[in-house]
Amino acid sequence: MSRRSGRKSRVQARAAKGAVSTPYVTRRIGLVSLIDDEAIAIIERNADRILDEIGMEFRGDPDTLDLFKAHGARVEGERVRFDPGWCRDKIKTAPSVFTQHARNPARSIQIGGKAQVYAPSFGPPFVHDMENGRRYATLEDFQNITKLHHQLGAVNHSGGVVVEPVDIPVPLRHLQMAHTHLTMNDKPFMGAVTAPERARDTIEMCKIAMGADFVDENCVLYSVVNTNAPLVMDETMLWALKEYARAGQCTVVSPFVLGGAMSPVSVAATLAQVLAEVMASVALIQLIRPGAPAAFGTFFSPISLKTGAPTFGTPEGTQLQMCAKTLADRLGLPFHSVGGLTASKVPDAQAGYESQAQLMGAALAGVNFIIHATGCLEGLLTTGYEKIVMDADRCAAMQRFVQGVDFSESAQAMEAFSEVEPGGHFLGAQHTQDNFETAFWMGDMSDNGTYEQWAAEGAYWQHDRATARVKQLIEDYEAPAMDAGIREALEEFVARRSREIEGEQP
Amino acid sequence: MSRRSGRKSRVQARAAKGAVSTPYVTRRIGLVSLIDDEAIAIIERNADRILDEIGMEFRGDPDTLDLFKAHGARVEGERVRFDPGWCRDKIKTAPSVFTQHARNPARSIQIGGKAQVYAPSFGPPFVHDMENGRRYATLEDFQNITKLHHQLGAVNHSGGVVVEPVDIPVPLRHLQMAHTHLTMNDKPFMGAVTAPERARDTIEMCKIAMGADFVDENCVLYSVVNTNAPLVMDETMLWALKEYARAGQCTVVSPFVLGGAMSPVSVAATLAQVLAEVMASVALIQLIRPGAPAAFGTFFSPISLKTGAPTFGTPEGTQLQMCAKTLADRLGLPFHSVGGLTASKVPDAQAGYESQAQLMGAALAGVNFIIHATGCLEGLLTTGYEKIVMDADRCAAMQRFVQGVDFSESAQAMEAFSEVEPGGHFLGAQHTQDNFETAFWMGDMSDNGTYEQWAAEGAYWQHDRATARVKQLIEDYEAPAMDAGIREALEEFVARRSREIEGEQP
């Protein structure tokens, strides 16, 4: 990559600076639904039966069990069973649309309705780039990735654990991560879910950055709680859910399902299980704080029944997502699901095919919050630097797609036909001159030129061009403005809490 | 690639042999439509205005002009103008669904209705593989590619000019191509469109292989005629169209449009132009032989308005395709359009992203005949060997997807929930045991295993695995059965016509 031409780098730098960033995308096309009324009734009835007959376990928190019991659920040990319709009734207080506020108000996003938000991958312990290969991620990687997402216009969110900064002790990571999101990006971000005190710290840091009263009254954090399918919510996730619900912050309940292992080996059965888990968990959120924002999430990866490995970019993955969106709409909940997932270890064609299939499925399903839209490699064990910028380009394409076709009089361009004879060309037509800059979407990461030009420029594969783009973006990065007092207060908070936490360690 | 493990090669060989091939796919999900009734009315009115006020040129054939005139079209020089509704009325005799018969009746396909057919790329002069790079294609490449498509279950068609065999003189190529399709693959194939006598030769060869009476009474060839947008059909295409229409063979009218150059710079205007060209041309087919099978085709690539280069995998490409499918349905014509196109020169991530976006768009649009579904590189200037097997895997995924979700009692698997406790797993459940082999789609070309296993096996990228699979398929190839008399008669025909054509050369 050292031989990148100066010309190309300048072009790429301009493209990066010129990227138009709307805070979120408004879908203007219909939904792709794969489930008809009869099938909806079947799945809803099956979910009700699962909750009634088998129930769900909420582990390690007697208060939760008491709360369920007080409101009429049937509690036996840690198992909670629900009469048909009970959960659906409790969920009614959850808002169907809400705002997650960013530190920069121009970056605040709508969650739900026709809005689509594209967000980074969550959770990988490894990073990969073409020059250094695969390795454990560090805080520097976390910061670099946050810098990239700050600049990529098609990414509407700074995400959460964009990689695990493994050079930071586990009990301190949430402080460094929230600090990075708040200072290096001004888009909204996600809260820690690994322990209740970490959730509290994240909320406190938002209060410093955005004002305590504001945070009390508004959603500034969006946090994902995974059930342990089938039909369990463990202590860690339960406490994080409680902490954010009490604070009026958004909790997404996203059953993590490796299909065939953690659910029966079919889309229809997995749908019923997912619906059951989401209904029981969102009902709990509403018991804790009626009206607290929540969302219906899915993470579904069918396992290969030859090897047991999770698979991505599959037909069933998208089918489940499209059906679940319909079920979420019927509950009046925003829908959260996965974007550009791939099992590939490297930014190769497999990564391209699989990520595009998942992302296009999510866009067409009308997913409101598309997580893992950028950077995924190795089924979320790795975030790829190159993959981030490659995926972001495809996010931009999907965003253009879901905005539908312009049928206005100007777009019909009937006057151009009078101007150009049969067999002629439209390059010089007035309509073309007036519209060419914005008429068609143009990607930053695709090479569309001739073979000869491509060969002369070094015959770079897409991942090579992506390496150059990553470097340029990191070089060009400028931190978003922040009040000096706030910056200092955040640093003080992180330093103080770090000392306290380190003092608590055995 | 020389270090491919024996084990993996055997696994791949098994997968190839075990590939289930249905002759075509029946879509069981709804269509994605991006055009509402109001917009449909606008586009249809604009197309009528274009045909009425500007008209279309049919060049180099006075008989066609006379035919149009005799039926009431307004002819001036080679320009033909049509009263609103005239073309639509003439098109009514075209069948909305028909069969293209293959030499092997088990491979015959339905064109139209809910059927989807996935077919190879058409037209590239170059081939590419990872060991030999990019080079002009030869007859040997044409034959190898035909052998691959014979074995790939997700490919329903042998295609047409899968590559240009440039080592064969132009006037003889059609003979070698038809001979290869007829002897090395038993799926249906496409007719030559480069000259009327070449169309006649192809029809004759089908008569030898399938019987003269059968060919007179049935569609055995499917041929694509491109208009020269805007609003021209040239002499070569016109003569091919006439030849196939007279013989009752299928002609697809597919305007070839580089959007912004050959059409105004918008989807809405391009749609009206495409509709106008298709209506006038299919009307002509029906004047020549009422009831002759025809289809509505599109090939739309927006040009980059920075460089003038065609682009692929774009939002507008899919938008136009989805809208045009709705317009084709309203004409009662089968719809033909593009699959896995990419501008990439190599089987890299760009190729994966772009091809998957185009292919998934085509699948969801309900395209009846998806051309260029496999092998495209460099915007159809090159067919990639590795790309063929990589794309075929994604065709299989899309085919599974469009068949929708199984909501049967068996798929609901309610008994599995009684068997497995919360927090347990379903791997041993009876439902899993009964269904695991066919429950989830599994690709042949994706590596889903662990990083460690992948690294230990050689850290192959997808295109490396594809090289091995191509070699294995070519090694394993067995020609489909053919009656010895027919084989001999075909060879005699090719030899005789070759001598005649060479004698005619100046």
Side-chain angles (χ1 to χ4, degrees):
Chain A
M1 280 315 311
S2 48
R3 291 173 297 127
R4 298 291 309 148
S5 77
R7 190 191 69 82
K8 194 118 191 195
S9 296
R10 283 194 302 276
V11 170
Q12 290 181 335
R14 271 201 305 279
K17 282 181 182 154
V20 177
S21 172
T22 49
Y24 60 91
V25 179
T26 302
R27 177 173 50 78
R28 294 206 193 88
I29 65 172
L31 296 175
V32 180
S33 179
L34 302 181
I35 181 167
D36 63 15
D37 289 347
E38 195 188 329
I40 289 170
I42 289 171
I43 300 304
E44 291 184 345
R45 193 175 59 234
N46 289 352
D48 275 348
R49 267 188 61 195
I50 291 169
L51 289 172
D52 186 25
E53 296 171 14
I54 295 155
M56 180 159 170
E57 289 193 7
F58 291 84
R59 292 184 179 166
D61 184 44
D63 288 354
T64 290
L65 301 172
D66 290 346
L67 189 64
F68 271 130
K69 197 184 278 176
H71 284 83
R74 287 136 49 205
V75 178
E76 204 175 324
E78 292 185 317
R79 186 81 66 95
V80 189
R81 292 186 176 81
F82 306 90
D83 293 342
W86 186 94
C87 292
R88 194 170 285 273
D89 185 59
K90 295 292 171 278
I91 291 170
K92 284 181 182 154
T93 53
S96 59
V97 177
F98 59 91
T99 299
Q100 184 192 1
H101 294 272
R103 177 166 77 75
N104 174 353
R107 306 283 206 178
S108 295
I109 55 174
Q110 178 182 315
I111 312 265
K114 289 184 183 293
Q116 282 195 335
V117 170
Y118 290 67
S121 282
F122 187 103
F126 299 103
V127 281
H128 176 276
D129 69 67
M130 291 305 302
E131 288 179 350
N132 303 299
R134 178 186 185 258
R135 59 200 185 275
Y136 276 107
T138 63
L139 182 60
E140 191 188 345
D141 293 310
F142 191 106
Q143 292 171 339
N144 281 336
I145 290 166
T146 304
K147 289 176 182 178
L148 291 178
H149 287 129
H150 176 65
Q151 294 173 90
L152 292 165
V155 183
N156 311 120
H157 212 265
S158 192
V161 185
V162 292
V163 283
E164 281 286 351
V166 298
D167 54 339
I168 308 292
V170 171
L172 304 181
R173 281 185 199 165
H174 67 289
L175 297 170
Q176 294 299 332
M177 291 194 283
H179 184 257
T180 302
H181 284 307
L182 280 166
T183 57
M184 297 193 174
N185 197 334
D186 60 356
K187 297 176 187 180
F189 73 106
M190 299 172 112
V193 291
T194 47
E197 65 276 15
R198 294 177 197 159
R200 282 194 294 273
D201 283 340
T202 313
I203 294 168
E204 281 307 307
M205 291 173 74
C206 287
K207 287 182 176 175
I208 294 170
M210 302 165 74
D213 291 349
F214 187 85
V215 171
D216 282 339
E217 285 156 24
N218 291 287
C219 170
V220 301
L221 285 168
Y222 179 98
S223 307
V224 181
V225 158
N226 294 125
T227 62
N228 283 7
L231 299 165
V232 171
M233 183 169 291
D234 70 21
E235 193 175 334
T236 305
M237 287 294 171
L238 190 50
W239 289 8
L241 176 150
K242 286 171 63 180
E243 210 59 58
Y244 287 117
R246 275 185 204 137
Q249 300 304 314
C250 174
T251 312
V252 184
V253 178
S254 187
F256 177 87
V257 183
L258 302 181
M262 298 165 76
S263 71
V265 67
S266 81
V267 170
T270 304
L271 265 177
Q273 177 183 309
V274 163
L275 178 58
E277 294 181 4
V278 168
M279 286 204 297
S281 308
V282 175
L284 174 60
I285 294 169
Q286 298 305 309
L287 295 185
I288 293 168
R289 178 162 165 167
F296 185 140
T298 66
F299 184 109
F300 172 61
S301 164
I303 63 166
S304 160
L305 292 152
K306 287 178 196 157
T307 64
T311 63
F312 301 96
T314 67
E316 291 84 7
T318 297
Q319 286 172 338
L320 182 116
Q321 197 170 50
M322 288 178 167
C323 294
K325 164 68 170 143
T326 304
L327 301 175
D329 283 350
R330 286 177 52 84
L331 288 170
L333 293 175
F335 184 60
H336 159 115
S337 193
V338 298
L341 299 182
T342 180
S344 185
K345 295 21 168 208
V346 282
D348 66 351
Q350 177 185 344
Y353 285 112
E354 292 181 347
S355 297
Q356 178 68 58
Q358 293 260 192
L359 185 71
M360 191 158 174
L364 283 162
V367 176
N368 297 116
F369 192 101
I370 304 178
I371 196 164
H372 315 307
T374 54
C376 173
L377 289 176
E378 210 191 329
L380 290 174
L381 285 175
T382 298
T383 291
Y385 273 96
E386 287 87 0
K387 186 87 183 335
I388 289 171
V389 297
M390 286 156 51
D391 282 336
D393 212 39
R394 300 310 304 177
C395 290
M398 292 301 102
Q399 290 167 1
R400 179 75 170 244
F401 181 80
V402 299
Q403 292 181 64
V405 180
D406 178 5
F407 289 107
S408 67
E409 210 157 309
S410 158
Q412 293 171 48
M414 285 302 281
E415 72 286 0
F417 291 107
S418 324
E419 230 181 299
V420 176
E421 287 291 292
H425 70 76
F426 291 86
L427 292 169
Q430 191 59 47
H431 178 268
T432 311
Q433 297 296 313
D434 292 345
N435 294 283
F436 80 95
E437 279 188 359
T438 56
F440 294 139
W441 176 79
M442 274 174 280
D444 290 329
M445 296 310 305
S446 281
D447 185 296
N448 302 307
T450 62
Y451 179 87
E452 289 69 22
Q453 189 179 345
W454 173 80
E457 286 180 357
Y460 293 118
W461 289 41
Q462 190 186 40
H463 56 264
D464 298 321
R465 299 191 298 273
T467 304
R469 178 128 164 82
V470 165
K471 287 185 179 176
Q472 192 67 52
L473 284 170
I474 290 175
E475 200 180 305
D476 289 350
Y477 172 77
E478 288 169 29
M482 179 177 254
D483 175 88
I486 290 175
R487 187 177 295 277
E488 208 172 306
L490 277 174
E491 267 156 33
E492 263 171 36
F493 180 87
V494 171
R496 176 173 64 78
R497 285 292 295 140
S498 298
R499 283 193 307 275
E500 289 171 7
I501 292 166
E502 284 176 324
E504 288 159 11
Q505 297 303 306
Chain B
M1 280 315 312
S2 47
R3 290 174 297 127
R4 296 292 310 152
S5 76
R7 192 190 68 80
K8 195 117 190 194
S9 296
R10 282 194 301 277
V11 169
Q12 291 180 336
R14 271 201 304 279
K17 282 180 184 158
V20 177
S21 171
T22 48
Y24 59 91
V25 180
T26 302
R27 177 172 52 75
R28 293 206 194 88
I29 65 172
L31 296 175
V32 181
S33 180
L34 302 180
I35 181 167
D36 63 15
D37 289 348
E38 195 188 330
I40 289 170
I42 289 170
I43 299 304
E44 290 183 345
R45 194 175 57 233
N46 289 352
D48 274 348
R49 267 189 61 196
I50 291 169
L51 289 173
D52 186 28
E53 297 173 14
I54 295 153
M56 180 159 171
E57 289 192 6
F58 290 83
R59 293 185 178 166
D61 184 45
D63 288 354
T64 290
L65 300 172
D66 290 347
L67 189 64
F68 271 130
K69 198 185 276 176
H71 284 84
R74 288 136 47 207
V75 178
E76 205 175 324
E78 293 186 316
R79 186 81 66 93
V80 188
R81 292 185 175 81
F82 306 89
D83 293 343
W86 186 94
C87 292
R88 194 170 284 273
D89 185 58
K90 295 292 171 279
I91 290 171
K92 283 181 183 153
T93 53
S96 58
V97 177
F98 58 91
T99 299
Q100 184 191 1
H101 294 271
R103 176 165 76 75
N104 175 353
R107 306 284 207 177
S108 295
I109 55 174
Q110 178 181 314
I111 312 264
K114 290 183 182 292
Q116 282 196 334
V117 170
Y118 290 67
S121 283
F122 188 103
F126 299 103
V127 282
H128 176 277
D129 69 67
M130 290 306 302
E131 289 180 348
N132 303 298
R134 177 186 186 261
R135 60 201 184 275
Y136 276 107
T138 63
L139 182 60
E140 190 188 346
D141 293 309
F142 192 106
Q143 292 171 339
N144 281 336
I145 290 166
T146 304
K147 290 176 181 178
L148 292 178
H149 287 129
H150 177 64
Q151 294 172 91
L152 292 165
V155 183
N156 311 120
H157 211 266
S158 193
V161 185
V162 293
V163 284
E164 281 286 349
V166 299
D167 55 339
I168 307 292
V170 171
L172 304 181
R173 281 185 199 166
H174 67 289
L175 297 169
Q176 293 299 330
M177 293 195 282
H179 184 257
T180 302
H181 285 306
L182 281 166
T183 57
M184 297 193 173
N185 197 336
D186 61 355
K187 298 176 187 178
F189 73 106
M190 300 172 111
V193 290
T194 47
E197 64 276 15
R198 294 177 197 159
R200 282 194 294 274
D201 282 339
T202 313
I203 294 168
E204 281 307 308
M205 291 173 74
C206 288
K207 288 182 177 177
I208 294 170
M210 302 165 74
D213 291 350
F214 187 84
V215 171
D216 281 340
E217 285 156 25
N218 291 285
C219 170
V220 301
L221 285 167
Y222 179 99
S223 308
V224 180
V225 157
N226 295 125
T227 62
N228 284 5
L231 298 165
V232 172
M233 182 168 292
D234 69 23
E235 193 175 333
T236 305
M237 288 293 171
L238 189 49
W239 288 10
L241 176 150
K242 286 171 63 179
E243 213 57 59
Y244 287 118
R246 275 186 203 138
Q249 301 303 315
C250 174
T251 312
V252 184
V253 178
S254 187
F256 178 86
V257 183
L258 302 179
M262 298 163 76
S263 71
V265 67
S266 81
V267 170
T270 304
L271 265 177
Q273 178 182 310
V274 164
L275 178 59
E277 294 181 4
V278 169
M279 286 203 297
S281 308
V282 175
L284 173 60
I285 293 169
Q286 298 304 309
L287 295 185
I288 294 168
R289 179 163 165 167
F296 184 141
T298 65
F299 184 109
F300 172 61
S301 164
I303 63 167
S304 160
L305 292 152
K306 286 179 194 155
T307 64
T311 64
F312 301 96
T314 66
E316 291 83 7
T318 298
Q319 286 172 338
L320 181 117
Q321 196 170 49
M322 288 178 168
C323 294
K325 165 68 170 141
T326 305
L327 301 175
D329 284 349
R330 287 176 52 84
L331 287 171
L333 292 176
F335 184 59
H336 159 115
S337 193
V338 298
L341 298 182
T342 179
S344 184
K345 289 41 169 193
V346 283
D348 65 351
Q350 177 185 343
Y353 285 113
E354 292 180 347
S355 297
Q356 178 67 58
Q358 292 262 191
L359 186 70
M360 191 157 174
L364 283 162
V367 177
N368 296 114
F369 192 102
I370 304 178
I371 195 164
H372 314 307
T374 54
C376 173
L377 288 176
E378 209 192 331
L380 290 174
L381 285 175
T382 297
T383 291
Y385 274 94
E386 287 87 359
K387 185 86 184 334
I388 289 172
V389 297
M390 287 156 51
D391 282 337
D393 212 39
R394 301 310 304 176
C395 290
M398 292 301 101
Q399 291 167 0
R400 178 77 169 241
F401 181 81
V402 299
Q403 292 182 64
V405 179
D406 178 5
F407 288 108
S408 67
E409 211 158 306
S410 158
Q412 294 172 47
M414 285 302 282
E415 72 286 1
F417 290 108
S418 325
E419 228 181 301
V420 175
E421 288 291 292
H425 70 75
F426 291 85
L427 292 170
Q430 190 60 46
H431 179 268
T432 311
Q433 297 296 314
D434 292 345
N435 294 283
F436 80 94
E437 279 189 358
T438 56
F440 294 139
W441 176 80
M442 275 174 280
D444 291 329
M445 297 310 306
S446 282
D447 185 296
N448 302 308
T450 62
Y451 180 87
E452 290 70 21
Q453 189 179 344
W454 172 80
E457 286 180 356
Y460 293 119
W461 289 41
Q462 191 187 39
H463 56 264
D464 298 321
R465 299 190 299 274
T467 304
R469 177 130 164 81
V470 165
K471 286 184 180 176
Q472 192 68 51
L473 284 171
I474 290 175
E475 200 179 306
D476 290 350
Y477 171 78
E478 289 169 29
M482 178 177 254
D483 176 87
I486 291 177
R487 187 177 296 276
E488 207 171 307
L490 278 174
E491 268 156 32
E492 264 170 37
F493 181 87
V494 171
R496 177 173 62 80
R497 285 292 295 139
S498 297
R499 284 194 305 274
E500 289 171 5
I501 293 166
E502 283 175 324
E504 288 160 11
Q505 297 305 305

